[in-house]
Amino acid sequence: MTTNAHVDPLTMVVEDGVAIITFDAPGSAVNTVDRALGASLERMLKIIEATPTIAAAVLISGKPDIFIAGADIEQFTEFRTPQDARTASALGQELLDKVEGLRVPVVAAIHGACLGAGLETALACAWRVCSDHPKTVLGLPEVQLGIIPGAGGTQRLPRLIGLQRALDMILTGRNIRAKKALQMGLVDDMVHPAILREIAVKRAHELASKLILPSRSPRDRGAAGVILEDNPIGRSLVFRKAREGVMAKTHGHYPAPLAAIDVVRCGYDKGFKTGLNEEAKQFGELALTEVSRQLVFLFFATTALKKDPGVDEPAPKAARVEKLGILGAGFMGAGIASVAVQQGTTVRLKDAEHARVGKGLASVRAVLMERVKRKQVTRAQYDDMMTLAGGTIEYTGFAGLDMVIEAVFEDLSLKHTVLREVEPLIHDDAVYASNTSTIPITRIAEAAERPERVLGMHFFSPVHKMPLLEVIRGEQTSSEAVVTAVAYGKRLGKTVIVVNDGPGFYTTRTLGAYMNEAGMLLDAGAEIAALDEALVNFGFPVGPVTLLDEVGLDVGGKVGQVLFDAFGARMHPSEAMRRVVESGRTGRKGKSGFYKYGEDGKKGEVDPSVYEFLGTRERSVIPAGDVVRRCVLAMVNEAARCLEEGILRSARDGDIGAVFGIGFPPFRGGPFRYVDTIGADAVVRELEELQGRFGARFEPASLLVEMARSRRRFYPAEGKPLG
Ligand code: NAI
């Protein structure tokens, strides 16, 4: 028996009494759960119910490395009311109830990504077999989109793997690899991909003939888990701790994880059915929140960037980068090397002294070793990666390189010197990238024989953790060099935006405007901790003063100077910053900044002695609303200038750059989404009011004025966020 293979996202064959249902959405690289898939699965379940010769079923994917990637998020944007979303959730729940209650046992054969609604489908099965392939990951990432699992995941997962583990998965959205999934009872078998189908069919037969029983009860829990979870008082404690953990991390800005805790709890207190009802209700409400809309936008924008070659003109083919040279084995150089070797690139790390090369290689080793400890790579893979990294103080091995990334000190003449040294050694087509954070690429390229091969690749620290790469196109940079850098950045796992050249490009420039305003607030007598707290409450991961300590006061001082030289009065450094920088404090790295630091580098209280440099110890109370308005609008206004001057290619890139590069709160979508949320006219009014109080640096960008006048938005108001 075979169903209509050409239009259906599912096909079914029956072999020896086992119905094998294959997910394989036609014309798509991935399987997602949508109406068509739901309807198709429903039809097949009916056939199975009505065919007595079918004794069991197997769900498997026809895609190379994806079981089911999750629900079709496009369909989320069609919800107009919470009831729409609630209905969709209830339909999904009903369908999976049918899978669970089917006359015959169903086995999920999982290879590749099994996420969101995909995992919920697998959870409704009687047995789960997964492949031991690195691409096999299981997770419920819904909270990352501002929602909760809506097809029974909040109820089935805790019943399968226990409360604490389930909460951890649901509240973080983290991916679980095959081996871990087996250990925690999320899957019942782990096998080589080559025998996945065979074993799944075997288990289906065994279940049908009751040789094995479906896994349903929590198992393999640690002793603490058993004691805590199996009684109501222990559970209360688990829920309370989970709530505290979420609040500490999110400051209450993200409703989804809190709702998830309530929904899981409801299932424990009032039973599975009531839990499902509550799940659908909360899913419905969350799907329509502003927070979810913004997070879904970020998802679409990131997906769109994956397909963006980085140039507006017809894109030439990107050259493949197999051999990379890195100049400067310091903090950033070593960081870049650590991500490059993980992608199989051969790296030559060059510094001025042996000791520094050694230190750089040691940092690469440390990053990779951390991955071994977390069981993300094996010891053998670690050894293979380390053999790719070599060091030099004399450019040995530079002749055959495809790309060089320069990460020496932030000093134009030094950057010119190393460029002049390297260019004759590498082949004519090699790309030369500088990791400068402020210096215009066109100025660096002045020393080049082939300025068309020179561009910026601005990574963020720590390189192995930060998701953004800002590629900077100089005046003479060729499109081929741009697409090569963009493609390589993507290979390193980064979300890449391409910006045009200018002092501080996009991210450093907008962050600079924000930090500078924080300095002005210190001049005006703001209390340091209160200043930081106001912006953390707005949603930044840390406040601006803490951030300055992290980045280094010396670095911050230099950046401030570059921006002041370029933009004049608008970026006039504050007295407070100037004096603290001049005092020689360097921040966390020197264990002396605005805050106190312990021997282990742990941040303590504000260091009261720093107020000596701020003119006076007397501090005034500046309302948190004022702090936020001044700092955030300084950043937003600067972002708008970057768009109007053509530094940015789109508002989308500006939003992604701010969220992934400089900590703009994701639930606000980015500076341009923020303007859309409160309205360009309101932003302009506020800026004009600030201009009246504090002067010309708040003069609204003409783009914002124009948008306010013509009542335009950066994004369409409804429907697909990217229009
Ligand atoms: P770093 O001080 O840790 O490393 C610079 C390295 O360059 C040192 O090891 C130094 O010995 C080496 N060096 C100096 N002269 C050299 C030469 N002639 N040949 C080879 N190596 C030489 O500095 P870091 O933080 O790694 O910064 C490097 C670059 O990255 C700078 O342009 C900085 O603005 C930029 N950047 C820094 C970020 C950060 O958070 N630290 C973030 C983004 C960009």
Side-chain angles (χ1 to χ4, degrees):
M1 187 187 324
T2 307
T3 48
N4 190 347
H6 297 294
V7 289
D8 256 323
L10 300 185
T11 54
M12 184 163 88
V13 293
V14 180
E15 290 172 5
D16 193 19
V18 176
I20 298 171
I21 298 176
T22 305
F23 296 91
D24 198 354
S28 166
V30 297
N31 293 317
T32 53
V33 176
D34 57 8
R35 279 181 222 103
L37 184 131
S40 191
L41 183 57
E42 179 118 37
R43 264 198 315 281
M44 305 217 176
L45 296 180
K46 274 198 187 126
I47 298 172
I48 294 173
E49 283 291 2
T51 314
T53 50
I54 297 178
V58 168
L59 304 183
I60 195 162
S61 165
K63 303 287 181 211
D65 287 321
I66 289 198
F67 178 67
I68 298 175
D72 173 13
I73 296 161
E74 295 262 340
Q75 291 193 352
F76 287 7
T77 60
E78 292 165 17
F79 299 142
R80 289 290 164 264
T81 64
Q83 187 57 45
D84 292 348
R86 183 177 183 165
T87 307
S89 163
L91 285 173
Q93 291 177 347
E94 258 171 53
L95 180 61
L96 294 185
D97 275 353
K98 285 182 192 158
V99 171
E100 191 174 56
L102 202 66
R103 182 180 59 75
V104 304
V106 184
V107 176
I110 305 162
H111 169 71
C114 173
L115 303 174
L119 179 55
E120 291 181 293
T121 305
L123 288 172
C125 295
W127 198 266
R128 283 154 293 281
V129 188
C130 80
S131 78
D132 60 3
H133 195 274
K135 291 243 162 105
T136 295
V137 287
L138 300 92
L140 292 175
E142 284 83 351
V143 286
Q144 291 165 2
L145 295 175
I147 50 172
I148 58 173
T154 63
Q155 305 304 306
R156 289 198 178 91
L157 188 65
R159 283 170 174 78
L160 183 68
I161 62 168
L163 178 60
Q164 293 182 77
R165 281 171 173 163
L167 279 178
D168 177 63
M169 278 181 72
I170 295 169
L171 299 182
T172 61
R174 90 170 88 240
N175 281 348
I176 306 287
R177 283 156 195 272
K179 200 167 153 198
K180 183 86 193 292
L182 182 69
Q183 280 165 359
M184 65 202 266
L186 184 54
V187 297
D188 305 287
D189 284 304
M190 180 178 77
V191 299
H192 191 276
I195 54 165
L196 177 67
R197 189 178 194 273
E198 183 191 321
I199 297 295
V201 170
K202 184 162 181 269
R203 293 291 179 258
H205 280 298
E206 288 168 356
L207 284 162
S209 51
K210 305 223 169 359
L211 284 174
I212 54 173
L213 291 176
S215 59
R216 219 0 115 236
S217 60
R219 48 149 115 190
D220 186 34
R221 294 182 310 196
V226 174
I227 294 162
L228 270 180
E229 296 180 21
D230 288 352
N231 68 78
I233 299 171
R235 274 203 299 276
S236 275
L237 183 69
V238 172
F239 284 120
R240 203 179 68 228
K241 286 264 165 248
R243 205 179 167 83
E244 282 168 10
V246 168
M247 287 305 287
K249 247 169 94 179
T250 66
H251 299 271
H253 288 306
Y254 295 84
L258 297 174
I261 295 172
D262 291 344
V263 171
V264 171
R265 181 167 208 161
C266 173
Y268 270 91
D269 292 348
K270 301 188 178 148
F272 189 78
K273 266 237 110 36
T274 315
L276 282 184
N277 270 333
E278 191 58 21
E279 179 186 90
K281 178 165 168 265
Q282 295 278 357
F283 175 88
E285 278 162 21
L286 290 164
L288 269 290
T289 53
E290 185 64 23
V291 171
S292 175
R293 291 279 191 221
Q294 302 295 14
L295 296 178
V296 167
F297 154 74
L298 290 173
F299 173 81
F300 282 131
T302 313
T303 311
L305 274 169
K306 285 191 183 133
K307 296 182 195 136
D308 185 342
V311 295
D312 298 325
E313 61 273 20
K317 204 169 167 332
R320 179 114 182 134
V321 177
E322 300 294 352
K323 292 185 189 146
L324 174 70
I326 298 178
L327 306 179
F331 187 55
M332 295 303 287
I336 297 165
S338 76
V339 291
V341 292
Q342 289 187 51
Q343 296 312 317
T345 313
T346 306
V347 173
R348 301 293 299 160
L349 200 52
K350 195 265 173 195
D351 206 299
E353 300 159 23
H354 281 301
R356 284 180 187 257
V357 173
K359 207 167 155 223
L361 288 172
S363 328
V364 175
R365 226 171 276 132
V367 170
L368 299 186
M369 205 22 110
E370 186 60 34
R371 299 211 64 193
V372 174
K373 280 198 196 118
R374 288 172 186 266
K375 299 201 164 50
Q376 292 163 339
V377 299
T378 62
R379 185 68 210 207
Q381 285 169 322
Y382 164 90
D383 290 340
D384 287 348
M385 289 171 188
M386 273 319 293
T387 56
L388 292 173
T392 172
I393 55 164
E394 289 160 335
Y395 297 112
T396 13
F398 268 55
L401 299 180
D402 307 308
M403 177 184 271
V404 171
I405 301 178
E406 167 274 302
V408 299
F409 303 130
E410 187 76 340
D411 176 292
L412 181 60
S413 67
L414 176 62
K415 292 199 188 276
H416 278 165
T417 306
V418 296
L419 170 53
R420 285 200 192 95
E421 284 172 6
V422 172
E423 207 181 24
L425 306 176
I426 54 181
H427 64 77
D428 288 359
D429 294 336
V431 172
Y432 184 95
S434 173
N435 180 48
T436 171
S437 44
T438 45
I439 307 173
I441 294 305
T442 312
R443 296 213 51 199
I444 294 176
E446 280 164 6
E449 289 292 324
R450 299 186 292 278
E452 70 281 3
R453 309 305 295 170
V454 178
L455 46 67
M457 283 176 86
H458 180 203
F459 289 87
F460 294 76
S461 80
V463 180
H464 64 286
K465 288 200 179 137
M466 290 292 282
L468 189 76
L469 169 65
E470 185 180 31
V471 167
I472 303 113
R473 182 172 193 160
E475 272 167 25
Q476 300 189 59
T477 313
S478 69
S479 346
E480 215 233 315
V482 173
V483 297
T484 299
V486 169
Y488 187 59
K490 288 179 194 166
R491 217 174 109 203
L492 297 182
K494 302 299 173 198
T495 296
V496 189
I497 61 168
V498 177
V499 303
N500 285 309
D501 201 12
F505 331 116
Y506 169 64
T507 51
T508 307
R509 177 171 162 187
T510 42
L511 184 66
Y514 162 91
M515 298 289 266
N516 215 31
E517 198 53 36
M520 294 295 178
L521 279 154
L522 290 181
D523 280 357
E527 208 271 313
I528 293 170
L531 174 55
D532 271 353
E533 193 184 316
L535 287 149
V536 168
N537 286 340
F538 178 78
F540 281 94
V542 294
V545 187
T546 301
L547 181 62
L548 192 63
D549 267 2
E550 294 281 335
V551 170
L553 301 183
D554 48 342
V555 175
K558 273 193 199 163
V559 173
Q561 190 58 44
V562 172
L563 295 177
F564 177 47
D565 292 345
F567 301 109
R570 192 166 85 240
M571 296 271 196
H572 193 291
S574 70
E575 275 302 298
M577 293 291 184
R578 193 183 56 77
R579 290 210 203 99
V580 180
V581 170
E582 277 174 11
S583 76
R585 294 183 183 222
T586 55
R588 184 195 209 125
K589 62 186 167 193
K591 300 197 175 64
S592 143
F594 285 92
Y595 287 88
K596 288 183 182 165
Y597 292 90
E599 271 314 304
D600 53 356
K602 209 168 172 260
K603 188 182 125 189
E605 304 278 295
V606 169
D607 182 348
S609 67
V610 81
Y611 284 118
E612 307 286 348
F613 305 104
L614 302 189
T616 161
R617 250 173 203 276
E618 286 294 304
R619 295 284 107 187
S620 39
V621 177
I622 300 185
D626 265 14
V627 169
V628 166
R629 209 168 298 127
R630 287 175 61 174
C631 293
V632 172
L633 290 184
M635 179 184 264
V636 166
N637 202 24
E638 204 59 36
R641 285 180 205 278
C642 287
L643 186 58
E644 131 195 344
E645 290 169 20
I647 297 283
L648 283 171
R649 291 165 67 220
S650 64
R652 174 203 70 185
D653 289 3
D655 282 334
I656 289 290
V659 170
F660 293 147
I662 56 180
F664 196 91
F667 68 94
R668 298 187 191 276
F672 297 99
R673 300 279 298 182
Y674 182 65
V675 171
D676 275 359
T677 304
I678 53 181
D681 51 347
V683 171
V684 169
R685 261 200 315 279
E686 298 244 17
L687 282 167
E688 283 170 349
E689 196 252 333
L690 291 172
Q691 186 182 358
R693 284 166 66 195
F694 306 108
R697 69 177 186 276
F698 280 108
E699 184 184 352
S702 17
L703 176 65
L704 290 175
V705 175
E706 167 48 30
M707 292 192 58
R709 194 177 308 128
S710 57
R711 299 186 170 280
R712 274 196 305 127
R713 301 166 52 89
F714 290 105
Y715 298 91
E718 285 286 353
K720 253 171 79 175
L722 286 181

